[in-house]
Amino acid sequence: MRFGKKGKLSPRYVGPYEILEQVGSVAYDSRLPNELSMIHTIFDVSILKKCKRDPVSILPLEGSKVKEDLSYEEVPVEILDCQVKKLRNKEVSSVKVLWRNNVL
């Protein structure tokens, strides 16, 4: 069992977490949150992944219109395509819509 989930849906990486010190030539001690207290804090370099933070991808919170329940409203701009697919005894219609997001 990995990090609370098992099977195919278990996350490959969790984090990012702060590295406290280098313990050996290939081992590092990290600071983990209380939820992961049952996991040993020393990891081999082969299972760590470098966290690359891109300052362009960080969005400011001041301009976002996120509600208290962490949802937002999207507005449709235009309908791009409509299709009706025939199955054995019924028809299923699908619509492709271009959405304008208020968050960005």
Side-chain angles (χ1 to χ4, degrees):
M1 196 150 113
R2 292 183 180 171
F3 302 109
K5 295 180 182 177
K6 71 179 205 180
K8 292 182 183 179
L9 299 178
S10 65
R12 293 186 187 266
Y13 296 101
V14 294
Y17 298 115
E18 180 183 1
I19 300 293
L20 300 176
E21 63 178 329
Q22 184 174 0
V23 178
S25 60
V26 291
Y28 288 90
D29 190 13
S30 63
R31 177 176 296 155
L32 298 177
N34 291 336
E35 301 90 47
L36 300 176
S37 63
M38 68 285 214
I39 298 172
H40 201 276
T41 60
I42 297 176
F43 295 97
D44 189 71
V45 127
S46 64
I47 61 171
L48 295 177
K49 185 176 180 181
K50 185 176 181 180
C51 178
K52 298 177 184 176
R53 295 190 182 195
D54 184 16
V56 177
S57 65
I58 300 173
L59 297 175
L61 291 176
E62 296 85 30
S64 64
K65 298 179 182 175
V66 178
K67 299 176 186 172
E68 288 294 322
D69 61 351
L70 299 178
S71 64
Y72 58 92
E73 188 174 328
E74 293 190 76
V75 179
V77 175
E78 66 177 297
I79 296 176
L80 299 175
D81 190 23
C82 293
Q83 290 182 359
V84 177
K85 292 185 178 181
K86 287 191 173 192
L87 298 178
R88 292 183 183 193
N89 56 359
K90 61 181 175 178
E91 295 179 350
V92 177
S93 59
S94 62
V95 179
K96 187 174 183 179
V97 179
L98 177 65
W99 296 92
R100 182 175 55 102
N101 191 334
N102 287 338
V103 175
L104 297 177

